Amino acid sequence: MVKPVVVRNLHGQVVQELGRLIVGGEIAPGENLPREELLAERMKVSRTALREAMKVLSAKGLIESRQKTGTRVRKTVYWNQLDADVLAWRCASMPTDDFVEKLVEMREVIEPAAAAAAARRRTGEQMLRIESAYAAMEAAASLDAWTVADLAFHEAVLHGTHNELMISLFSVIETALGSYFQLSASSAGDFRYSLPHHKKVMDAIRRRQPEVAREAMQKMVADSRSNIRRHARDRAAAKA
């Protein structure tokens, strides 16, 4: 169940190894972890390193320790889903239809409002940043280059809001969004298929048209959702 850890940063590696196993479902909610001495032996780490790792996983809401019952994995409702590591572990086991749907819902709430706010408040420098990201998307010759530029575009829009809460939230979910953008683009025949949507958002922000920017971003997210759903149906049909 648990692979030995043979790297320098034992404490951090134990966190990563156990976190991936838990979030990936290999150690299920409600399941008890082996006793401390056994787990430390299996992972070839000291009990001190293991205890420090357990504190981190507990802070992320993944596990709980009780005196008589030992350490067990908590139900997913208690996990800190916006923790950067938890999101990264979720993405490592992507794509799951349920996770993608929830990520789309989050985008639907945040990004249209962000586009509208950016249209009202962006500075000239921030507009240049949005345009630069768009130009990189336009010039992208590979899916990886497109994904990096796409993420930079949405980050630039968020910074244009001058809303530190929105900006902070984006930094937390950046890993998940990067995976989502790559999945969305790879589901299309041409990974640059959404470029016209991005241009409409950019133009509306440049012209300081909040409602036009909001609507353009809504259409972008909806189109991406439809594309991924269509791809999921095609995969299911191919397996049938």
Side-chain angles (χ1 to χ4, degrees):
M1 179 181 69
V2 179
K3 298 177 184 177
V5 177
V6 286
V7 294
R8 294 176 186 172
N9 186 354
L10 295 180
H11 155 247
Q13 191 61 34
V14 172
V15 170
Q16 292 295 317
E17 182 68 27
L18 288 177
R20 283 194 295 267
L21 289 171
I22 292 169
V23 175
E26 293 183 54
I27 308 176
E31 186 176 340
N32 272 59
L33 295 178
R35 294 197 312 274
E36 182 181 281
E37 63 273 19
L38 293 177
L39 189 56
E41 183 179 350
R42 289 183 192 179
M43 301 192 76
K44 300 189 183 305
V45 297
S46 69
R47 292 173 71 171
T48 299
L50 181 62
R51 285 173 192 153
E52 289 303 309
M54 291 300 190
K55 289 178 183 177
V56 174
L57 294 172
S58 179
K60 296 177 186 296
L62 299 182
I63 60 174
E64 61 180 352
S65 299
R66 294 183 179 176
Q67 195 166 22
K68 293 184 179 181
T69 58
T71 302
R72 69 174 56 190
V73 177
R74 304 183 78 190
K75 293 180 180 179
T76 56
V77 69
Y78 297 114
W79 296 359
N80 182 356
Q81 299 286 356
L82 292 182
D83 177 88
D85 283 333
V86 175
L87 274 171
W89 297 327
R90 288 289 298 269
C91 291
S93 59
M94 278 184 68
T96 65
D97 293 340
D98 178 63
F99 182 59
V100 169
E101 281 292 324
K102 288 172 181 174
L103 196 55
V104 172
E105 286 183 358
M106 181 175 286
R107 288 193 68 199
E108 286 174 335
V109 170
I110 297 170
E111 293 202 83
R120 288 192 296 267
R121 302 174 191 150
R122 58 85 180 165
T123 64
E125 182 179 346
Q126 287 163 342
M127 190 67 237
L128 288 175
R129 184 176 173 184
I130 293 170
E131 291 170 342
S132 176
Y134 176 83
M137 294 176 70
E138 196 173 30
S142 68
L143 178 58
D144 286 344
W146 168 273
T147 302
V148 171
D150 194 5
L151 196 64
F153 180 92
H154 291 269
E155 184 176 17
V157 171
L158 263 292
H159 278 271
T161 68
H162 290 268
N163 184 323
E164 64 275 14
L165 297 179
M166 279 189 176
I167 295 168
S168 296
L169 183 58
F170 183 89
S171 68
V172 170
I173 65 172
E174 183 175 15
T175 298
L177 282 176
S179 298
Y180 175 85
F181 292 152
Q182 187 165 41
L183 177 64
S184 177
S186 65
S187 299
D190 176 6
F191 60 78
R192 288 183 291 190
Y193 82 100
S194 67
L195 198 60
H197 289 299
H198 288 79
K199 188 174 189 306
K200 288 177 182 177
V201 171
M202 178 180 67
D203 288 345
I205 293 173
R206 183 192 297 116
R207 295 168 183 158
R208 299 193 183 276
Q209 298 173 316
E211 292 311 311
V212 176
R214 184 194 305 275
E215 183 178 347
M217 185 66 83
Q218 284 173 336
K219 287 181 178 178
M220 184 194 302
V221 175
D223 181 67
S224 183
R225 179 203 283 264
S226 297
N227 188 51
I228 289 178
R229 281 179 172 174
R230 184 168 54 252
H231 183 63
R233 287 196 300 269
D234 291 344
R235 286 201 324 267
K239 290 179 181 179

